[in-house]
Amino acid sequence: MGYQGLFIRDYVGETPDNAKGPSWTQSPDICISGTVPLKDPQSLLDMDNYNKGLPDGDNQTPLQINFVYARGINTELVGITSTIYLYYVDTSIVLWPQNWKMDTIMHTEGTNVPINAAQVVAQAQGLAATIEPFKWTPPRQDNHYCLVAWVKNGDDQLEPPDLYSIGTVNDMANFILTHPNVGWKNTIEVDATQPTIENYATIYGAENGGLLNIGVQCQNLPTDGEIEFSVPGPDAQNTIIFPRQAIPNPNFAPTVQVRWPDNFDSTITFRYYKGKTDPPDGANIIPIVGTNGTGTDFIEHVKRVAPQYLADVNYYASPEEIITKGQGVPIKKIMIVGSVPFELKR
C-alpha cells in the first residue's frame, strides 16, 4: 500500500509513488514570503500553481517575523484532517533531527495544538494549506536556515514528533527512507551572472563518525565551465582537494569517500568558473553527502522503495584516487542523505 494522508513534496514533480527527482531538499510546498504575507494565500490551493511549484519563496529576513506557508495534497479518496509541524535548523548538508528547533516558530491554533503546528483540512485528493501562515523569526543575522515540515496523519496527530538523536550517516539514510511525510527546504539562491561563483556549505558530522561520501552535484551546467571543491578533514588521508576540472557533462557529480571521527564538523567550499555559455536560470550547484549503506543489497532496496534519493556519481573511494584516477572513475549509485542546492538565478 502506498503513502496515505497529506503528502508534502520534496521537489516539483514528485508524487507519492516516488517519481525520480534531481534534488530532494527543494520542497515547493514550503513557501517563505519574508516579512510580508502572501497577497493571496488561496493561490496555494490552485492546482496549476501546485504543478508549477508556485508561489515560490525563500526570502528569509533575520530578527524579524517571517511568514511561512505549508501545503500538501491528500492521497486518499476521502476528506482528511492532518497536522503540519514546522521546524528550522542551521543550514547543513546533513540535517540531523536532533538539531531541529521550533522556539521562534508560532502558529495560532486551538489550545490543544502545539505552538509550531497547524491543522489543515483536505478534500478527497485535494490540496490543503496553512492559509493562516506560520510566523517565524530567524534568530541570527548572517545565517541561512533550512525549514522542515513534518506531517502527521491519522491518530495522535497532536502528539509532537519524536526528534530522536541519530548517530550515523547510515541511520540518517534509514530515517529519510522511513519518513516520506517529511518535506525539506534547503535552497540558497546565487547570482548566475558572475564569472566565478564561490560559496560553501557546513557539514555537521555524525555523532558516531564513520564513512561518508562528499561531493558536488552539477545540475544543468554548461560543459564549457569548470568546477573545484575542497573539504578540510581530520588528517591528510581524509582531506579532500578536488582540483579545478572541466565539467564533462551537465550533471557531473564527483564524490569522494572519507572516514570521519565522532562529532567531526567541516565545510565544503566550491568554485564554479563560467565559460562562454551562461548557465540557464534555475541551474544548480549542489554540495551533497551520500552513503553506500550497509550490506550489498542496500542500494537495490533504495531503488525499490525510494529511487528519488539515488544519484549517479563519479565515485572516488578516497581523496588519493583524485590524483591517481583523474576523471577515469566509475559511475556509481549512492544514496543522498543531505544536500544544499545553490540555485542560479539571473
Side-chain angles (χ1 to χ4, degrees):
M1 183 178 293
Y3 182 92
Q4 291 185 299
L6 194 73
F7 178 71
I8 291 183
R9 298 169 297 173
D10 292 323
Y11 52 87
V12 174
E14 185 184 22
T15 71
D17 296 323
N18 294 322
K20 186 172 177 57
S23 176
W24 54 266
T25 55
Q26 295 176 292
S27 176
D29 296 333
I30 303 172
C31 176
I32 313 165
S33 68
T35 58
V36 178
L38 287 177
K39 183 177 181 180
D40 180 14
Q42 293 293 328
S43 64
L44 292 160
L45 302 177
D46 180 86
M47 189 58 73
D48 187 55
N49 282 343
Y50 176 82
N51 291 332
K52 294 177 180 177
L54 300 174
D56 187 22
D58 190 30
N59 181 21
Q60 304 177 21
T61 301
L63 307 179
Q64 297 184 46
I65 292 175
N66 289 247
F67 298 95
V68 181
Y69 301 82
R71 71 176 164 199
I73 192 165
N74 180 10
T75 67
E76 299 192 41
L77 298 177
V78 296
I80 60 170
T81 296
S82 297
T83 304
I84 302 173
Y85 290 81
L86 188 69
Y87 301 90
Y88 74 94
V89 59
D90 285 355
T91 287
S92 169
I93 297 182
V94 184
L95 300 174
W96 306 100
Q98 58 262 37
N99 295 333
W100 300 0
K101 300 175 183 177
M102 45 79 67
D103 57 307
T104 63
I105 294 174
M106 183 185 72
H107 193 275
T108 305
E109 280 279 5
T111 56
N112 294 324
V113 180
I115 196 70
N116 67 321
Q119 289 197 300
V120 295
V121 177
Q123 300 303 314
Q125 297 186 318
L127 295 171
T130 56
I131 300 303
E132 179 192 340
F134 291 94
K135 298 172 183 66
W136 168 51
T137 303
R140 298 198 308 275
Q141 293 183 341
D142 303 318
N143 195 74
H144 187 83
Y145 297 96
C146 172
L147 290 176
V148 182
W150 182 313
V151 176
K152 293 197 76 173
N153 299 296
D155 299 330
D156 71 0
Q157 291 183 23
L158 300 184
E159 181 68 29
D162 180 9
L163 304 182
Y164 56 88
S165 180
I166 294 178
T168 71
V169 170
N170 289 334
D171 288 341
M172 185 65 183
N174 289 327
F175 173 85
I176 293 166
L177 291 176
T178 55
H179 288 81
N181 56 322
V182 176
W184 323 69
K185 185 87 167 190
N186 199 16
T187 302
I188 299 173
E189 293 185 359
V190 296
D191 184 356
T193 65
Q194 301 301 309
T196 301
I197 295 171
E198 179 179 17
N199 221 312
Y200 72 93
T202 303
I203 309 171
Y204 293 121
E207 289 183 356
N208 299 329
L211 291 174
L212 65 164
N213 297 278
I214 305 172
V216 172
Q217 166 81 63
C218 301
Q219 186 183 352
N220 298 327
L221 292 183
T223 56
D224 57 3
E226 297 174 309
I227 194 83
E228 67 180 4
F229 66 91
S230 61
V231 184
D235 51 38
Q237 290 73 36
N238 292 286
T239 292
I240 301 171
I241 301 175
F242 190 86
R244 181 171 173 172
Q245 290 190 16
I247 297 172
N249 66 77
N251 297 316
F252 181 48
T255 67
V256 186
Q257 187 171 86
V258 292
R259 181 181 291 276
W260 281 4
D262 297 355
N263 294 307
F264 182 80
D265 302 331
S266 188
T267 57
I268 178 170
T269 301
F270 67 85
R271 294 181 186 88
Y272 166 66
Y273 303 91
K274 186 175 68 172
K276 293 182 179 180
T277 307
D278 291 335
D281 189 47
N284 283 280
I285 303 168
I286 311 173
I288 56 176
V289 169
T291 179
N292 300 317
T294 55
T296 57
D297 61 345
F298 175 78
I299 296 298
E300 291 301 318
H301 172 68
V302 180
K303 285 181 183 178
R304 292 192 301 271
V305 302
Q308 72 272 27
Y309 298 125
L310 294 175
D312 291 319
V313 302
N314 290 61
Y315 181 84
Y316 297 85
S318 69
E320 183 181 3
E321 285 195 354
I322 299 171
I323 300 171
T324 60
K325 291 189 176 181
Q327 287 190 356
V329 296
I331 301 295
K332 188 172 183 177
K333 286 190 182 297
I334 65 171
M335 179 181 168
I336 306 302
V337 298
S339 66
V340 183
F342 288 79
E343 186 173 9
L344 278 57
K345 293 289 188 179
R346 306 190 69 79

